[in-house]
Amino acid sequence: MKKRVTIAEIAKRCNTSIGTVDRALNNRSGIHSETKDFILQTAKEMGYQTNPIAGALSRKKSIRLGIVYCENHADFYDYVNRGIEQAAKELLIYGVEVTKWKTKNLSWEEQLELLESIDLNSYDGFAINSAGMQTDAILNHIVDLGIPVLTFNTDAPATKRFCYIGANARQAGNLAGELIGKLMGQEGKVAALGSFLATNSFIERFIGFYEVIQREYPKITLCPFSECFNDTKSAYHETLRVLEKESDIKALYITGSAGTVGAIEAIKELGRKDMILVGYDITEPTIQALKEGWCTAVLYQDPYFQGYHAVKVLAKHMLEGFVPRSPLLTVDTKIMMKYNLEECENTALFLS
Amino acid sequence: MKKRVTIAEIAKRCNTSIGTVDRALNNRSGIHSETKDFILQTAKEMGYQTNPIAGALSRKKSIRLGIVYCENHADFYDYVNRGIEQAAKELLIYGVEVTKWKTKNLSWEEQLELLESIDLNSYDGFAINSAGMQTDAILNHIVDLGIPVLTFNTDAPATKRFCYIGANARQAGNLAGELIGKLMGQEGKVAALGSFLATNSFIERFIGFYEVIQREYPKITLCPFSECFNDTKSAYHETLRVLEKESDIKALYITGSAGTVGAIEAIKELGRKDMILVGYDITEPTIQALKEGWCTAVLYQDPYFQGYHAVKVLAKHMLEGFVPRSPLLTVDTKIMMKYNLEECENTALFLS
DNA sequence: ATGAAAGCGCTAACAC
DNA sequence: GTGTTAGCGCTTTCAT
C-alpha cells in the first residue's frame, strides 16, 4: 500500500492545523495570504496530491457540474447524452451532481439566452458545447467567476476554457479524402456536397478532403462543390442536380449529417448502388443505407465518447485538479461500414 | 447528495454489529451461516450496494491483481502494456496493486509453467490472456480457489472465467470482406494469405472474410488461400509466389500481423503500389507502409483498450462486485489508414 | 462467533 | 484568521 502525503502531515510541517491547510489547498476564504502561500509551497515541496477518495467520502455538499449542449440532431446527441449520463452515474458516488441543459439548436442566440438564465454561482464547473464566438464573452465571464469551463464537441478556442474535447474536423476531412481516393481506385470524378455557409467544421471537413485529393490523388477530378445547407431536402435536390449534370461521377462526399441523408435518398431514387457515397454520422437513415448498400461508409466521431469524457475530465479537474497535457483532446474519427455498425452500441454498453 | 444504504443500517435492522455484517458481505470467516444468510438477505432487500470509496479509504492491505499475458509481438503488446499500466495507476488510490507476468510467446506450455510457479493464494483476482484449452484446467482451479478470473485478448470460453474482453475475430473478418469488396469496386480477383494451422482467430478472420465476399460480392473471385504461418518470411515468399502465378490479382487480404509485414515487403519489392493490401495491426512496418502507400489499410483491435479494460473490469469486479451484462465484452475493430494513424497514440494519452 | 472501537484522509461546522 | 472536532462508510484488530 503506497503512502501519500496527507494534509495532516503538511499541517504538522507548517505548524498549523489541518483546517488551515484545507483552506489553503482549496482556496477557501478566511486565510492570510501569507500562510496560504507558505502552505501551498510546502505542499508542493512535499509532493502533495489531493486524495479524491477521502474527499468524496467526507463531502457534505456535492460538486455541481453544469452541461450545456443541444439536441438538434437527435441521433448524434442521443449518444452524447448517454455518455453524459453514464459518466454522471459513475460520479455520483464521488458526490458529483450533473445538471444538463439543452438548446433546441446549436445557435448562439439560444445558448446565450440559456447561459444568462443560469444561476452560475450555484455550479462548480461547466462543460459547454460552444455555439460560436458570440458566446465567448460569457464563457470567459464564467471562468472569471472562478468556475472552470471545458468545451466539448465544438470548441471556443479564444476563451479561457481549460480544455476542449471533440473532433478534429480537418483531420476527419483528410481521412475522407484518403478513403474516397482509395475506394475510387485512385481515379475518376468525385463531387463534394456540403454546407459552406454553415458551421466552421463543415468547411474544415471539406478543406481536409480537398487537401488530400489534390495532393495525393492526381488522377481524381473534383467537381465544383455544391452548397446544400446541411439540409436533407437541399442535399437531395443538389445530388440529383449534380448527378444529372455530370454523368460520370463515381463518388460523392457529403460533409454534413443531414446532407448525407439527403444524398442517400437521391442515390436510392436513382437506383445507383454503384455510387461510392461517403458521408457523416450514424443515424437511422445512414444505418439503413449502410445495411442495404446505398451508402459506402460514414465517418463518425464517437459522440458517446465525447459526452462521457467531457463530464469525466471536468470532474477529474474539479476532484483532483487534473489538467490534460494538451488542451485539445481529440476524439477518433471512425470509419463505419455495415460490418462494424454494432460497435456504436458496444462502447455505450461496455461498463454499464 | 444521494444517500445509500450503509452496513450500519443493515446491522441495526439485523440486531447485530457492523463487524458481523462486514463478515457476511465479504464472505469472511468466523460467522454462523445462518446469520450470514439472514444478513445477506436483508442487505439485498434494503438494496445495499457496496461503497468502493469507503472501502478504498479504510483498506489496510491492498487488493492484488495478477495479469498474465505475453510479449510475442512487441508492437501489439506494448500497447496492451500501456493500457494495463494506466489502469494500474488509476487504481492505486483504491488500494489495488497490479502484478504482471509475461511469457515469451503465447504458448500453453510456457503459460502453464508460469501459472504453476505463481503463489495463487496471494492474489485476489487474475486477468489472463489465455494460451489455449490446455490451460483451462488451471484457470478453473484458480476460480475454485475463490479467485475470480477474467480472460482478455484470447478467451477460454470453456472455463469458469467471469468474462472475456477482446476482439471478435469473425466479425473483424466480415469487416475485412466488406472493406476489400468496396475497395475493389466490387469485382476482380483477391487472394487471401493466412495461417490456417495457427491460432483459431486467424481462421476466424478468414472465415468472416470469406463469408462476406461469397455472399455479397459475387463478382469477386477468391484465389485458393495461401498458408503463410503468420511468419514474415513465409508471407513474403508466398506473396511473391501467388502474384506470379495469378497475374490479375487486384487485392490481398492477410489475416495475421507478421504476415502483413511480409506481404508488404513483397509488394514493395515488386513496386506494386496499385495493389490493394489489407492486413492487421499497427506496427512499425505497417505504419511506414501506410504512410508510403504500400498498404491500403489495416484492421486494428485496440490493444491499449484491451489492456486497460481488462484491469479496470477485473478491479470493478473485486471492488463493487461488478459483473458485465454479457460475459463477452467485444473490442471494436478499427479501420486504420494513413490519416487516422495518430489516433492510436491519442487514446493512450487521453487521461494521462 | 460476535461486538466494539480505532482509524483511513478528508470536509464542514463550530469555537475561539 | 485559525484551531478543533465530528463525521463520511467502510476494514481491521482486539476483546469478549
Side-chain angles (χ1 to χ4, degrees):
Chain A
M1 295 267 331
K2 217 198 114 199
K3 182 78 180 82
R4 303 173 161 230
V5 178
T6 68
I7 56 168
E9 286 161 3
I10 299 173
K12 196 189 289 177
R13 267 250 242 166
C14 294
N15 288 315
T16 180
S17 67
I18 61 167
T20 303
V21 175
D22 176 63
R23 278 178 269 260
L25 256 19
N26 300 288
N27 44 134
R28 293 189 225 282
S29 57
I31 184 172
H32 227 83
S33 76
E34 269 177 48
T35 29
K36 178 169 172 175
D37 290 346
F38 180 60
I39 291 173
L40 252 24
Q41 174 61 26
T42 316
K44 188 183 279 178
E45 280 169 15
M46 296 175 75
Y48 174 78
Q49 291 185 77
T50 167
N51 182 336
I53 265 51
L57 194 59
S58 64
R59 189 168 297 116
K60 297 251 178 342
K61 30 189 102 164
S62 45
I63 292 180
R64 308 200 54 181
L65 305 182
I67 321 292
V68 175
Y69 56 120
C70 71
E71 53 186 359
N72 62 352
H73 67 279
D75 310 276
F76 188 82
Y77 281 101
D78 183 42
Y79 276 103
V80 172
N81 213 29
R82 286 161 69 174
I84 293 173
E85 307 252 84
Q86 174 64 25
K89 192 175 135 199
E90 293 173 16
L91 288 166
L92 210 55
I93 203 169
Y94 280 92
V96 172
E97 242 167 62
V98 173
T99 309
K100 303 176 295 178
W101 296 275
K102 300 179 219 180
T103 53
K104 206 85 197 115
N105 294 289
L106 192 56
S107 82
W108 66 267
E109 291 96 337
E110 289 178 65
Q111 186 162 91
L112 208 56
E113 193 187 329
L114 173 64
L115 285 170
E116 278 166 355
S117 76
I118 296 175
D119 176 23
L120 299 172
N121 278 306
S122 46
Y123 294 88
D124 305 292
F126 283 94
I128 298 172
N129 183 177
S130 167
M133 301 184 317
Q134 294 86 348
T135 58
D136 280 9
I138 190 160
L139 298 205
N140 278 334
H141 171 65
I142 298 175
V143 176
D144 290 337
L145 250 33
I147 305 170
V149 170
L150 166 160
T151 51
F152 72 108
N153 198 30
T154 50
D155 196 10
T159 64
K160 302 179 195 158
R161 55 102 179 104
F162 77 94
C163 91
Y164 164 66
I165 295 178
N168 179 335
R170 174 76 158 267
Q171 191 221 287
N174 288 154
L175 185 59
E178 181 183 10
L179 178 60
I180 290 184
K182 287 176 172 175
L183 286 167
M184 291 175 72
Q186 322 211 14
E187 57 186 19
K189 200 186 269 185
V190 60
L193 268 76
S195 177
F196 302 95
L197 304 171
T199 337
N200 209 12
S201 70
F202 290 157
I203 300 169
E204 291 279 309
R205 282 173 179 179
F206 177 74
I207 294 175
F209 173 76
Y210 180 75
E211 250 172 21
V212 170
I213 292 290
Q214 193 73 353
R215 191 196 318 135
E216 301 183 23
Y217 299 94
K219 292 199 211 136
I220 291 181
T221 323
L222 183 52
C223 295
F225 345 123
S226 305
E227 171 65 48
C228 74
F229 309 101
N230 190 38
D231 166 73
T232 305
K233 205 154 225 161
S234 330
Y236 165 80
H237 290 302
E238 198 52 31
T239 306
L240 290 179
R241 199 190 61 74
V242 168
L243 293 183
E244 189 158 345
K245 198 171 135 217
E246 316 252 358
S247 60
D248 52 348
I249 285 179
K250 219 164 121 183
L252 287 174
Y253 171 56
I254 302 99
T255 60
S257 183
T260 304
V261 177
I264 286 170
E265 281 172 14
I267 290 298
K268 211 189 274 185
E269 187 170 306
L270 298 172
R272 295 284 306 272
K273 273 211 179 162
D274 61 304
M275 180 64 60
I276 294 164
L277 197 165
V278 174
Y280 280 85
D281 293 344
I282 294 291
T283 60
E284 259 320 313
T286 60
I287 290 174
Q288 208 52 38
L290 282 168
K291 284 188 182 160
E292 293 172 2
W294 299 108
C295 173
T296 313
V298 294
L299 267 24
Y300 186 61
Q301 329 206 262
D302 210 338
Y304 178 87
F305 187 94
Q306 290 191 39
Y308 180 81
H309 279 103
V311 178
K312 277 293 192 115
V313 169
L314 179 57
K316 209 172 175 184
H317 181 73
M318 308 305 310
L319 256 18
E320 318 172 23
F322 172 74
V323 178
R325 339 188 151 179
S326 160
L328 263 32
L329 297 178
T330 305
V331 163
D332 294 356
T333 301
K334 296 182 177 176
I335 300 171
M336 306 300 295
M337 304 201 304
K338 179 175 171 184
Y339 286 102
N340 60 351
L341 270 180
E342 320 91 71
E343 292 181 3
C344 320
E345 288 299 321
N346 278 354
T347 322
L349 291 175
F350 212 83
L351 287 178
S352 60
Chain B
M1 298 264 333
K2 218 198 114 199
K3 182 74 181 86
R4 306 173 160 230
V5 178
T6 69
I7 56 167
E9 285 161 4
I10 300 173
K12 197 190 287 177
R13 266 252 240 164
C14 294
N15 287 313
T16 180
S17 66
I18 61 166
T20 304
V21 174
D22 175 65
R23 277 178 270 260
L25 256 20
N26 301 287
N27 44 131
R28 292 189 225 284
S29 57
I31 184 172
H32 227 81
S33 75
E34 269 175 50
T35 29
K36 178 170 174 177
D37 290 347
F38 179 60
I39 291 172
L40 251 26
Q41 174 61 25
T42 316
K44 187 183 282 178
E45 279 168 17
M46 297 176 74
Y48 174 77
Q49 291 185 78
T50 168
N51 182 335
I53 264 51
L57 193 60
S58 64
R59 190 169 296 117
K60 297 244 167 6
K61 29 189 103 165
S62 45
I63 292 180
R64 308 200 52 180
L65 304 182
I67 321 291
V68 175
Y69 56 121
C70 71
E71 54 186 357
N72 62 352
H73 66 279
D75 311 276
F76 188 83
Y77 281 102
D78 183 42
Y79 276 102
V80 172
N81 213 29
R82 286 162 67 176
I84 293 173
E85 307 252 85
Q86 174 63 25
K89 191 174 137 201
E90 292 175 15
L91 288 165
L92 210 56
I93 204 170
Y94 279 93
V96 172
E97 241 165 63
V98 173
T99 310
K100 301 177 296 178
W101 296 275
K102 299 181 219 179
T103 53
K104 207 86 196 111
N105 294 289
L106 192 57
S107 80
W108 65 268
E109 291 96 336
E110 288 178 67
Q111 186 163 89
L112 209 56
E113 192 185 330
L114 172 64
L115 285 170
E116 279 166 354
S117 76
I118 296 174
D119 177 23
L120 299 172
N121 278 305
S122 46
Y123 294 88
D124 305 293
F126 282 94
I128 299 172
N129 184 179
S130 167
M133 301 186 316
Q134 294 87 349
T135 57
D136 280 8
I138 191 160
L139 297 206
N140 278 334
H141 170 66
I142 299 175
V143 177
D144 290 337
L145 250 34
I147 305 170
V149 170
L150 165 159
T151 51
F152 72 107
N153 198 28
T154 49
D155 195 11
T159 63
K160 300 178 196 160
R161 54 101 179 104
F162 78 94
C163 91
Y164 164 66
I165 295 179
N168 180 334
R170 174 77 158 267
Q171 192 222 286
N174 289 155
L175 185 59
E178 181 183 9
L179 179 60
I180 290 185
K182 288 176 171 173
L183 286 167
M184 291 175 72
Q186 321 211 16
E187 58 186 17
K189 201 187 265 186
V190 58
L193 268 77
S195 177
F196 302 95
L197 304 169
T199 337
N200 210 12
S201 71
F202 290 158
I203 299 170
E204 292 278 311
R205 282 173 179 180
F206 176 73
I207 294 174
F209 173 75
Y210 180 74
E211 251 172 22
V212 170
I213 292 290
Q214 193 74 354
R215 190 197 317 136
E216 302 183 21
Y217 299 94
K219 292 199 209 134
I220 290 180
T221 325
L222 182 53
C223 295
F225 345 123
S226 304
E227 171 65 49
C228 74
F229 310 101
N230 190 37
D231 166 73
T232 305
K233 205 154 226 161
S234 327
Y236 165 79
H237 290 301
E238 198 52 31
T239 305
L240 290 179
R241 199 190 60 74
V242 168
L243 292 183
E244 188 157 347
K245 200 170 133 219
E246 316 251 359
S247 59
D248 52 348
I249 286 180
K250 218 163 123 184
L252 287 175
Y253 172 55
I254 302 98
T255 59
S257 185
T260 304
V261 177
I264 287 170
E265 282 173 14
I267 289 299
K268 209 186 279 184
E269 188 171 305
L270 297 172
R272 294 285 305 273
K273 272 211 178 162
D274 61 304
M275 180 65 61
I276 294 163
L277 197 165
V278 174
Y280 280 86
D281 293 343
I282 295 291
T283 61
E284 258 322 312
T286 60
I287 290 174
Q288 208 50 38
L290 282 168
K291 284 188 182 159
E292 294 171 2
W294 299 108
C295 173
T296 313
V298 294
L299 268 22
Y300 186 61
Q301 328 206 262
D302 210 339
Y304 178 87
F305 187 94
Q306 291 191 38
Y308 180 80
H309 280 102
V311 178
K312 276 294 191 115
V313 169
L314 179 57
K316 209 170 177 189
H317 181 73
M318 309 305 310
L319 255 20
E320 317 172 24
F322 172 74
V323 177
R325 338 187 150 183
S326 160
L328 264 32
L329 296 179
T330 304
V331 163
D332 294 358
T333 300
K334 296 184 177 173
I335 299 172
M336 306 301 294
M337 306 201 304
K338 178 176 171 185
Y339 286 102
N340 59 352
L341 269 180
E342 321 90 72
E343 294 183 1
C344 320
E345 287 301 321
N346 277 355
T347 323
L349 291 175
F350 212 84
L351 288 177
S352 60

mmCIF file of all heavy atoms in Angstrom, chain B residues 101-114:
data_model
loop_
_atom_site.group_PDB
_atom_site.id
_atom_site.type_symbol
_atom_site.label_atom_id
_atom_site.label_comp_id
_atom_site.label_asym_id
_atom_site.label_seq_id
_atom_site.Cartn_x
_atom_site.Cartn_y
_atom_site.Cartn_z
ATOM 1 N N TRP B 101 2.877 -10.615 -15.332
ATOM 2 C CA TRP B 101 3.845 -11.612 -15.784
ATOM 3 C C TRP B 101 3.667 -11.790 -17.281
ATOM 4 O O TRP B 101 2.536 -11.884 -17.773
ATOM 5 C CB TRP B 101 3.569 -12.968 -15.153
ATOM 6 C CG TRP B 101 3.705 -13.032 -13.676
ATOM 7 C CD1 TRP B 101 4.855 -13.244 -12.959
ATOM 8 C CD2 TRP B 101 2.661 -12.926 -12.706
ATOM 9 N NE1 TRP B 101 4.577 -13.273 -11.621
ATOM 10 C CE2 TRP B 101 3.241 -13.073 -11.436
ATOM 11 C CE3 TRP B 101 1.282 -12.711 -12.793
ATOM 12 C CZ2 TRP B 101 2.504 -13.028 -10.262
ATOM 13 C CZ3 TRP B 101 0.541 -12.662 -11.638
ATOM 14 C CH2 TRP B 101 1.155 -12.815 -10.378
ATOM 15 N N LYS B 102 4.776 -11.864 -17.983
ATOM 16 C CA LYS B 102 4.683 -12.110 -19.423
ATOM 17 C C LYS B 102 5.434 -13.386 -19.787
ATOM 18 O O LYS B 102 6.552 -13.604 -19.306
ATOM 19 C CB LYS B 102 5.338 -10.969 -20.203
ATOM 20 C CG LYS B 102 4.701 -9.631 -19.983
ATOM 21 C CD LYS B 102 5.409 -8.583 -20.819
ATOM 22 C CE LYS B 102 5.527 -7.292 -20.027
ATOM 23 N NZ LYS B 102 6.206 -6.232 -20.736
ATOM 24 N N THR B 103 4.837 -14.189 -20.641
ATOM 25 C CA THR B 103 5.604 -15.292 -21.220
ATOM 26 C C THR B 103 6.189 -14.762 -22.524
ATOM 27 O O THR B 103 5.751 -13.749 -23.056
ATOM 28 C CB THR B 103 4.706 -16.509 -21.519
ATOM 29 O OG1 THR B 103 3.609 -16.081 -22.321
ATOM 30 C CG2 THR B 103 4.179 -17.129 -20.229
ATOM 31 N N LYS B 104 7.181 -15.470 -22.998
ATOM 32 C CA LYS B 104 7.836 -15.049 -24.236
ATOM 33 C C LYS B 104 6.836 -15.112 -25.396
ATOM 34 O O LYS B 104 6.700 -14.163 -26.153
ATOM 35 C CB LYS B 104 9.034 -15.970 -24.502
ATOM 36 C CG LYS B 104 10.123 -15.321 -25.303
ATOM 37 C CD LYS B 104 11.116 -14.534 -24.422
ATOM 38 C CE LYS B 104 11.954 -13.595 -25.280
ATOM 39 N NZ LYS B 104 11.651 -12.175 -25.052
ATOM 40 N N ASN B 105 6.179 -16.251 -25.504
ATOM 41 C CA ASN B 105 5.170 -16.409 -26.548
ATOM 42 C C ASN B 105 3.841 -16.803 -25.932
ATOM 43 O O ASN B 105 3.781 -17.163 -24.758
ATOM 44 C CB ASN B 105 5.594 -17.499 -27.528
ATOM 45 C CG ASN B 105 6.821 -17.093 -28.286
ATOM 46 O OD1 ASN B 105 6.772 -16.214 -29.133
ATOM 47 N ND2 ASN B 105 7.958 -17.712 -27.944
ATOM 48 N N LEU B 106 2.824 -16.792 -26.742
ATOM 49 C CA LEU B 106 1.520 -17.211 -26.237
ATOM 50 C C LEU B 106 1.395 -18.722 -26.407
ATOM 51 O O LEU B 106 0.550 -19.210 -27.143
ATOM 52 C CB LEU B 106 0.409 -16.470 -26.995
ATOM 53 C CG LEU B 106 -0.994 -16.572 -26.408
ATOM 54 C CD1 LEU B 106 -1.017 -16.089 -24.976
ATOM 55 C CD2 LEU B 106 -1.988 -15.795 -27.245
ATOM 56 N N SER B 107 2.261 -19.449 -25.714
ATOM 57 C CA SER B 107 2.208 -20.910 -25.823
ATOM 58 C C SER B 107 1.695 -21.490 -24.518
ATOM 59 O O SER B 107 1.988 -20.983 -23.436
ATOM 60 C CB SER B 107 3.596 -21.476 -26.119
ATOM 61 O OG SER B 107 4.359 -21.554 -24.935
ATOM 62 N N TRP B 108 0.915 -22.525 -24.628
ATOM 63 C CA TRP B 108 0.308 -23.078 -23.409
ATOM 64 C C TRP B 108 1.348 -23.670 -22.488
ATOM 65 O O TRP B 108 1.196 -23.630 -21.272
ATOM 66 C CB TRP B 108 -0.796 -24.076 -23.729
ATOM 67 C CG TRP B 108 -0.369 -25.336 -24.434
ATOM 68 C CD1 TRP B 108 -0.337 -25.550 -25.774
ATOM 69 C CD2 TRP B 108 0.062 -26.536 -23.804
ATOM 70 N NE1 TRP B 108 0.105 -26.805 -26.036
ATOM 71 C CE2 TRP B 108 0.347 -27.446 -24.850
ATOM 72 C CE3 TRP B 108 0.241 -26.944 -22.483
ATOM 73 C CZ2 TRP B 108 0.814 -28.744 -24.597
ATOM 74 C CZ3 TRP B 108 0.696 -28.230 -22.236
ATOM 75 C CH2 TRP B 108 0.983 -29.121 -23.283
ATOM 76 N N GLU B 109 2.431 -24.192 -23.056
ATOM 77 C CA GLU B 109 3.478 -24.767 -22.204
ATOM 78 C C GLU B 109 4.062 -23.690 -21.291
ATOM 79 O O GLU B 109 4.129 -23.862 -20.078
ATOM 80 C CB GLU B 109 4.616 -25.365 -23.052
ATOM 81 C CG GLU B 109 4.246 -26.617 -23.828
ATOM 82 C CD GLU B 109 3.844 -26.295 -25.262
ATOM 83 O OE1 GLU B 109 3.408 -25.143 -25.522
ATOM 84 O OE2 GLU B 109 3.951 -27.197 -26.125
ATOM 85 N N GLU B 110 4.447 -22.593 -21.904
ATOM 86 C CA GLU B 110 5.010 -21.506 -21.110
ATOM 87 C C GLU B 110 4.003 -20.973 -20.098
ATOM 88 O O GLU B 110 4.334 -20.707 -18.943
ATOM 89 C CB GLU B 110 5.426 -20.340 -22.026
ATOM 90 C CG GLU B 110 6.652 -20.610 -22.871
ATOM 91 C CD GLU B 110 6.940 -19.409 -23.770
ATOM 92 O OE1 GLU B 110 7.288 -18.342 -23.239
ATOM 93 O OE2 GLU B 110 6.792 -19.535 -25.011
ATOM 94 N N GLN B 111 2.772 -20.826 -20.560
ATOM 95 C CA GLN B 111 1.773 -20.245 -19.668
ATOM 96 C C GLN B 111 1.474 -21.157 -18.488
ATOM 97 O O GLN B 111 1.311 -20.704 -17.360
ATOM 98 C CB GLN B 111 0.485 -19.942 -20.442
ATOM 99 C CG GLN B 111 -0.519 -19.194 -19.592
ATOM 100 C CD GLN B 111 -1.596 -18.521 -20.413
ATOM 101 O OE1 GLN B 111 -2.629 -19.112 -20.699
ATOM 102 N NE2 GLN B 111 -1.366 -17.286 -20.804
ATOM 103 N N LEU B 112 1.445 -22.445 -18.781
ATOM 104 C CA LEU B 112 1.189 -23.423 -17.732
ATOM 105 C C LEU B 112 2.294 -23.354 -16.690
ATOM 106 O O LEU B 112 2.041 -23.295 -15.482
ATOM 107 C CB LEU B 112 1.140 -24.820 -18.355
ATOM 108 C CG LEU B 112 0.267 -25.846 -17.658
ATOM 109 C CD1 LEU B 112 -1.150 -25.338 -17.525
ATOM 110 C CD2 LEU B 112 0.290 -27.160 -18.439
ATOM 111 N N GLU B 113 3.495 -23.348 -17.175
ATOM 112 C CA GLU B 113 4.645 -23.309 -16.277
ATOM 113 C C GLU B 113 4.593 -22.044 -15.421
ATOM 114 O O GLU B 113 4.784 -22.084 -14.206
ATOM 115 C CB GLU B 113 5.931 -23.318 -17.112
ATOM 116 C CG GLU B 113 7.176 -23.562 -16.284
ATOM 117 C CD GLU B 113 8.437 -23.429 -17.135
ATOM 118 O OE1 GLU B 113 8.370 -23.716 -18.365
ATOM 119 O OE2 GLU B 113 9.477 -23.018 -16.587
ATOM 120 N N LEU B 114 4.296 -20.952 -16.082
ATOM 121 C CA LEU B 114 4.203 -19.679 -15.362
ATOM 122 C C LEU B 114 3.138 -19.732 -14.280
ATOM 123 O O LEU B 114 3.386 -19.423 -13.112
ATOM 124 C CB LEU B 114 3.886 -18.557 -16.359
ATOM 125 C CG LEU B 114 3.560 -17.200 -15.735
ATOM 126 C CD1 LEU B 114 4.769 -16.668 -14.990
ATOM 127 C CD2 LEU B 114 3.139 -16.207 -16.800
#
